[in-house]
Amino acid sequence: MTRNRLPPWLVLLLPAVIIILAVVAIPLVLSLYSSFTPYHLTRPDTLWKWTGSFNYIKAATDPNFWKAFGRTVLLLTIALNAEMLLGLGLALMVSKVTHGQRALRTAMMFPMMFSPILVGFQFKFIFNDNVGLVNNALQSLGLTDVAIPWLVDGNLAMFAIIFAEVWTSTSVFAILILAGLFALPQDPLEAAKVDGCTPWQSFRFVTLPFLMPFIYIAMAIRSLDVARAYDIVQVMTNGGPARRTELLWTLIGRTGYVDARMGYANAMGYIAILLSIGFTVYFFLKLQTARRELGMGD
Amino acid sequence: MAQVQLKNVVKKYGAVGVVHAINLDIAEGEFVVLVGPSGCGKSTTLRMVAGLEDISGGEVIIGDRVVNDLPPRERNLAMVFQNYALYPHMTVRENLGFSLKIAKRPQAEIDRAVDEAAGILSLTPLLDRKPGALSGGQRQRVAMGRAIVRHPDVFLFDEPLSNLDAKLRTQMRVEIKKLHQRVGSTVIYVTHDQIEAMTLADRIVIMRDGHIVQVGTPLEVFENPVNTFVATFIGSPPMNLLEGVIRAGQVVLADGTAIPQPPGLNVAEGRKVQLGIRADNIMPEGHALPPTAHMAFVEMPVILTEPLGTETLLYATLSGTEMQAKMLNPRPVSAGERMRFGIALDKCHLFDAETGNSLRG
């Protein structure tokens, strides 16, 4: 009696294939497909109606979408640069600490240990215009006697969100840059001293070029994180007031789950992913260039 | 160019002294080598001159300025490091010109200085490469080039050749010597390799445990070591030392062998001494230099031979001590063979057995 047996290599690969299909491939294909339909969560039959690129054209011509897109890019640019500069400063200072550096490094990780949702609530309270810490402090110090509408004014709300984002994630940069500082060879620095460099010149011409790969790695990781920013914004402003802090994913989340227009949300999601890919590729290329400059090979 | 003076220079890490009040005068244009075993304080001394280590006490004077509190950049010196310390992200050209760029010299002047240094060190074809694409010897030359372009008052070398293979080391040694003849700057050179010290130095400074043991020209320290440390450190193979007691003008060894004491020395009867004999001054009969007026002869069993081509190094035992002797015009010698060796007494040394200090002069 002969049974039809699968070749052993296929049998062995099957668990992996099944998992990848179930977890990645099928949802991916399904969501991509649904972005070409008017799929509405409350009307499942809409999944079978093909509308071609309708959703994409709609997104591309929707000013709200592009405003959210622009705001996300703005958030990315400001938050990443602020985190990089602060993280660099923090790392440089911590690297000079001789006693208790270990404890300090652990303490630096604390902000990363909190759930972003809780961080959102915390800063929502801090920036509250009536009972918030910031206004309270400003008024007690006599710097102002009006209640600054931190989370209501569009620009101030954006600032508050960036502030929360920076507070949470500066330590990512600091830790990675600190790792770079520990790996920094001392000889070229001493050579620079003898060659006539001031401390600033040593930093500018020797330390910084060496740190650039570490900075770009942190940038690449963080750009993915910030590009999908959702939780903190959702909690602090819910994209409001009147869409003034609307980011790509708060917009997409609302469209998909509140308005139940999943097909359209998926289409916007795919455009948003291009942004993430764009940033990642950009930083990766920068990383490669920086590594090549250091002669670290390719 | 400038002279360098160390006056009672001390280096301490906490309570631990590393360099103990050393004094040294280095003349303008002189090539001085600091040599000694690891941990003797030679590199620390150099780094104090460079300004990379704080000076715990005393004064370092370059030219006529006390530089104790000046940062390295204001001391106008150049340093070549053991690990080359090139800037990995800069090309050879940028590495060479970096110090001039920092000093804000005009680009034309930088180019001229870089081209000149590259020419001297045959680096011209490598100017656009990064250090990562260079061999060890090439990197070493770039490190030297970086020092030359500045026309510094003093060149400092910190074990510059220790990371190179033996052949390249010999070659670079010659290049450094040529460079010094050409540039004529004051050089302070640190090494643990006594051959480098002997071949390069105008004067050798031998250090141990943070103290200067002896200062002198290579021939002075070779021919008149002040103690057994210098005697065994300088010269290859190291000087043989035999323990003995002075009896009736002879050095009597533990096994009763008596060797007349070197001429011109007057040592008290019964004093415990060490007789120092270099391998070049103890040779087997028939395979030796023509005998001198003061010869002594001993018989020793050979335990090992090291043929070197024109000569063979013989290991033999005398009074329980392992000795090394040179055999000219070598013939095959088998282990265990007893041979008669002639000792050129006028080239031998006597040291006090306890302090190790030379009894000559």
Side-chain angles (χ1 to χ4, degrees):
Chain A
M1 208 172 93
T2 56
R3 267 196 305 164
N4 228 352
R5 299 190 66 168
L6 291 168
W9 61 266
L10 186 55
V11 177
L12 290 169
L13 282 177
L14 216 49
V17 170
I18 290 171
I19 290 172
I20 288 173
L21 278 178
V23 177
V24 181
I26 292 175
L28 202 66
V29 171
L30 205 64
S31 63
L32 184 62
Y33 164 77
S34 74
S35 71
F36 292 101
T37 70
Y39 183 42
H40 200 280
L41 283 182
T42 55
R43 281 177 280 136
D45 54 309
T46 51
L47 185 56
W48 311 114
K49 192 176 161 201
W50 181 266
T51 55
S53 57
F54 177 79
N55 284 330
Y56 286 93
I57 291 168
K58 190 174 160 196
T61 53
D62 180 359
N64 283 331
F65 175 75
W66 287 112
K67 276 183 194 160
F69 193 96
R71 233 174 259 122
T72 310
V73 175
L74 186 75
L75 175 75
L76 264 170
T77 314
I78 298 179
L80 286 187
N81 281 301
E83 285 170 20
M84 192 271 280
L85 290 176
L86 291 172
L88 181 63
L90 197 58
L92 287 171
M93 283 192 284
V94 170
S95 73
K96 295 283 178 210
V97 173
T98 45
H99 290 288
Q101 198 196 60
R102 217 174 259 266
L104 215 54
R105 290 202 312 256
T106 312
M108 270 164 60
M109 308 290 283
F110 282 168
M112 287 156 66
M113 294 177 192
F114 297 113
S115 151
I117 299 275
L118 293 180
V119 173
F121 279 121
Q122 173 201 321
F123 279 98
K124 190 176 188 176
F125 166 64
I126 290 176
F127 284 111
N128 186 291
D129 44 2
N130 285 319
V131 297
L133 285 179
V134 177
N135 275 352
N136 216 315
L138 290 177
Q139 284 162 2
S140 304
L141 289 170
L143 294 175
T144 177
D145 48 5
V146 294
I148 300 170
W150 287 106
L151 295 173
V152 180
D153 180 272
N155 290 331
L156 289 178
M158 208 54 200
F159 167 80
I161 289 170
I162 290 171
F163 191 92
E165 192 64 53
V166 168
W167 182 85
T168 327
S169 303
T170 292
S171 53
V172 178
F173 277 87
I175 294 288
L176 282 167
I177 291 172
L178 201 55
L181 282 172
F182 285 144
L184 183 69
Q186 290 304 304
D187 284 7
L189 277 176
E190 293 192 334
K193 274 190 208 169
V194 178
D195 266 350
C197 285
T198 59
W200 162 251
Q201 286 169 326
S202 296
F203 173 75
R204 167 70 188 77
F205 294 112
V206 183
T207 309
L208 197 58
F210 186 83
L211 289 180
M212 282 326 279
F214 294 87
I215 289 175
Y216 285 128
I217 288 172
M219 285 274 196
I221 294 174
R222 287 293 301 148
S223 70
L224 282 177
D225 259 358
V226 179
R228 60 167 201 220
Y230 178 77
D231 25 30
I232 289 184
V233 186
Q234 183 67 26
V235 170
M236 284 177 75
T237 63
N238 191 15
R243 291 184 187 268
R244 269 175 290 196
T245 56
E246 188 86 292
L247 298 182
L248 274 178
W249 289 103
T250 56
L251 176 65
I252 293 166
R254 187 173 313 107
T255 310
Y257 296 107
V258 179
D259 305 345
R261 290 184 292 157
M262 196 48 93
Y264 183 40
N266 278 335
M268 290 195 288
Y270 274 97
I271 300 178
I273 282 172
L274 290 180
L275 176 70
S276 296
I277 293 176
F279 266 92
T280 313
V281 168
Y282 172 74
F283 287 125
F284 196 73
L285 290 177
K286 287 291 224 183
L287 170 66
Q288 274 189 322
T289 318
R291 281 174 59 91
R292 209 174 299 125
E293 291 228 323
L294 282 175
M296 286 163 119
D298 33 13
Chain B
M1 279 203 272
Q3 57 185 16
V4 179
Q5 277 178 290
L6 309 186
K7 284 188 181 168
N8 292 315
V9 170
V10 175
K11 178 68 191 178
K12 281 184 184 168
Y13 292 107
V16 187
V18 183
V19 174
H20 309 282
I22 60 171
N23 288 288
L24 186 63
D25 279 353
I26 299 167
E28 203 167 300
E30 196 178 15
F31 197 126
V32 166
V33 175
L34 306 184
V35 67
S38 331
C40 71
K42 56 191 190 301
S43 279
T44 312
T45 306
L46 189 77
R47 291 168 59 84
M48 283 193 284
V49 175
L52 296 172
E53 298 278 354
D54 292 333
I55 299 163
S56 315
E59 282 181 341
V60 174
I61 301 165
I62 299 176
D64 45 16
R65 289 187 305 168
V66 177
V67 297
N68 282 35
D69 297 321
L70 292 182
R73 65 175 184 277
E74 286 170 34
R75 298 189 185 192
N76 194 23
L77 25 81
M79 185 157 172
V80 178
F81 294 81
Q82 179 174 358
N83 300 317
Y84 322 129
L86 303 180
Y87 309 118
H89 53 292
M90 298 182 198
T91 60
V92 170
R93 182 188 299 281
E94 289 164 337
N95 261 289
L96 292 177
F98 184 66
S99 59
L100 298 179
K101 186 179 145 200
I102 289 296
K104 300 211 167 63
R105 301 283 180 76
Q107 189 60 41
E109 185 192 331
I110 298 178
D111 290 342
R112 204 177 330 117
V114 167
D115 287 338
E116 188 195 341
I120 294 175
L121 294 162
S122 20
L123 288 169
T124 312
L126 306 174
L127 279 175
D128 294 316
R129 291 211 203 157
K130 294 265 174 70
L134 300 179
S135 70
Q138 289 166 336
R139 287 180 204 186
Q140 189 56 64
R141 288 214 299 275
V142 178
M144 276 165 50
R146 200 167 57 177
I148 306 178
V149 292
R150 303 187 50 198
H151 297 292
D153 289 338
V154 183
F155 277 101
L156 307 176
F157 289 87
D158 189 4
E159 309 216 10
L161 306 183
S162 4
N163 285 5
L164 301 178
D165 63 55
K167 195 175 164 190
L168 211 48
R169 204 177 302 160
T170 319
Q171 208 177 312
M172 290 304 295
R173 213 162 66 202
V174 177
E175 288 204 30
I176 290 178
K177 196 154 192 174
K178 277 188 197 155
L179 183 70
H180 179 242
Q181 282 170 355
R182 179 169 184 153
V183 185
S185 295
T186 312
V187 175
I188 309 177
Y189 185 109
V190 162
T191 181
H192 60 262
D193 181 350
Q194 57 93 16
I195 296 179
E196 264 171 46
M198 292 290 284
T199 51
L200 287 171
D202 292 331
R203 268 196 309 159
I204 296 183
V205 177
I206 298 150
M207 294 184 68
R208 179 172 64 162
D209 299 336
H211 295 280
I212 292 179
V213 183
Q214 188 172 7
V215 182
T217 66
L219 284 183
E220 275 167 16
V221 295
F222 183 80
E223 286 173 357
N224 293 308
V226 293
N227 59 21
T228 51
F229 172 74
V230 177
T232 50
F233 193 80
I234 298 290
S236 173
M239 186 186 283
N240 300 297
L241 292 174
L242 289 163
E243 302 258 352
V245 183
I246 299 291
R247 299 245 184 271
Q250 291 194 313
V251 181
V252 181
L253 308 181
D255 69 347
T257 311
I259 300 169
Q261 72 177 30
L265 282 174
N266 211 349
V267 182
E269 180 80 4
R271 186 162 186 179
K272 286 186 180 169
V273 295
Q274 285 182 302
L275 177 64
I277 311 169
R278 291 202 187 275
D280 314 70
N281 306 128
I282 175 166
M283 293 180 169
E285 258 189 327
H287 297 272
L289 294 171
T292 58
H294 304 275
M295 294 297 287
F297 293 91
V298 289
E299 214 178 71
M300 296 190 291
V302 174
I303 48 178
L304 192 77
T305 64
E306 277 184 349
L308 299 170
T310 52
E311 58 196 35
T312 291
L313 204 54
L314 300 177
Y315 290 72
T317 42
L318 181 59
S319 177
T321 307
E322 191 175 286
M323 306 278 288
Q324 296 177 43
K326 263 185 196 161
M327 179 191 213
L328 304 181
N329 310 314
R331 66 165 170 86
V333 177
S334 50
E337 187 177 333
R338 290 187 77 84
M339 297 178 85
R340 211 168 114 88
F341 290 82
I343 304 170
L345 286 174
D346 47 344
K347 299 273 179 60
C348 290
H349 303 262
L350 266 190
F351 302 99
D352 185 274
E354 252 140 61
T355 60
N357 289 336
S358 175
L359 297 176
R360 200 184 278 276

